[in-house]
Amino acid sequence: MSAATIHNYGTDDGWHGKIEEGGEFPPEKDRYHLYIEGGGWRFPASNDEYPGATTDSLFGSGFLSEVYFRDDKEYKGKYSKDGFENTNQARNTIHYNPTSTDISIYQESAEMLRWLPDAFNSLLDDDIQKVDLYPPPLRQKIDEITPWLQSHINSGVYKAGFARTQESYEAGVVPLFTALNKIEKLIAENGGPYVLGKHLTELDLRLYATIIRFDTVYVQHFKTNLGTGDDGFQAY
């Protein structure tokens, strides 16, 4: 996979490399650096500036954008979350760091969720390799649920929160709570504790990212306040 295949330079295209055995980017210890944007796009001045944040130990960047521009000085896309239409773009970046070349190889977190869990299996203990977030018996159900979970829940909070009119707010918040109640019912029908029952899947990782912040962030700041997680997302 060439650099041009990974990313269309000078455009807003993301990066689409893949870590895999036998590929251009094989799994190797200490070869990759994972950047995770956790609500901001500025690196702290020190690792003590605020909890959970670290400096850019690889390049000493001040801003996340600098990591992108190292590989493509004419990049025109997003490098942090920027409204509901981009909630799954530029949130995570894996940077490839061999001795002679620096290149950002991946950026799209939704796709990364599919291949990253197995990418380093050859380096992991057997018990960790057994974790499968996309197991064959459940793939059809996962593929059926993912589109509306992503559209109405993961992106739904942003559709409501960044709405500029009452009509667009309602167009986001009503499907959001319909989907939340649908998920609640699905978990109950499958016996929990996960979306599809006893097996943890990528659906649960997608859902967790929104649910863990729902009452404290989205209800308060995005006005997704027809109900809360504490009351089972039942609209008032």
Side-chain angles (χ1 to χ4, degrees), residues 24-33 95-98 120:
E24 181 178 357
F25 303 106
E28 292 181 10
K29 183 179 179 181
D30 298 327
R31 184 170 180 170
Y32 304 94
H33 192 85
H95 196 90
Y96 167 70
N97 187 36
F120 292 91

Side-chain angles (χ1 to χ4, degrees), residues 70-128:
R70 283 185 65 89
D71 190 37
D72 182 0
K73 297 184 184 303
E74 302 299 324
Y75 177 56
K76 296 178 174 60
K78 306 294 183 180
Y79 40 80
S80 71
K81 64 180 182 180
D82 184 31
F84 62 81
E85 71 272 17
N86 294 303
T87 55
N88 279 317
Q89 293 183 4
R91 297 299 305 280
N92 306 289
T93 300
I94 291 181
H95 196 90
Y96 167 70
N97 187 36
T99 56
S100 59
T101 306
D102 291 328
I103 182 172
S104 295
I105 69 163
Y106 211 83
Q107 175 202 26
E108 307 295 345
S109 59
E111 297 174 28
M112 193 188 302
L113 179 60
R114 180 60 52 84
W115 61 259
L116 183 58
D118 301 326
F120 292 91
N121 272 359
S122 61
L123 306 179
L124 302 176
D125 294 336
D126 291 342
D127 58 335
I128 299 178

Side-chain angles (χ1 to χ4, degrees), residues 110-163:
E111 297 174 28
M112 193 188 302
L113 179 60
R114 180 60 52 84
W115 61 259
L116 183 58
D118 301 326
F120 292 91
N121 272 359
S122 61
L123 306 179
L124 302 176
D125 294 336
D126 291 342
D127 58 335
I128 299 178
Q129 290 186 38
K130 293 177 182 177
V131 176
D132 188 354
L133 300 177
Y134 190 58
L138 298 177
R139 287 180 181 179
Q140 182 176 349
K141 291 183 178 180
I142 292 172
D143 291 344
E144 291 172 353
I145 295 170
T146 294
W148 61 263
L149 189 156
Q150 174 62 41
S151 177
H152 298 320
I153 297 179
N154 296 138
S155 296
V157 290
Y158 294 95
K159 293 176 183 178
F162 287 91

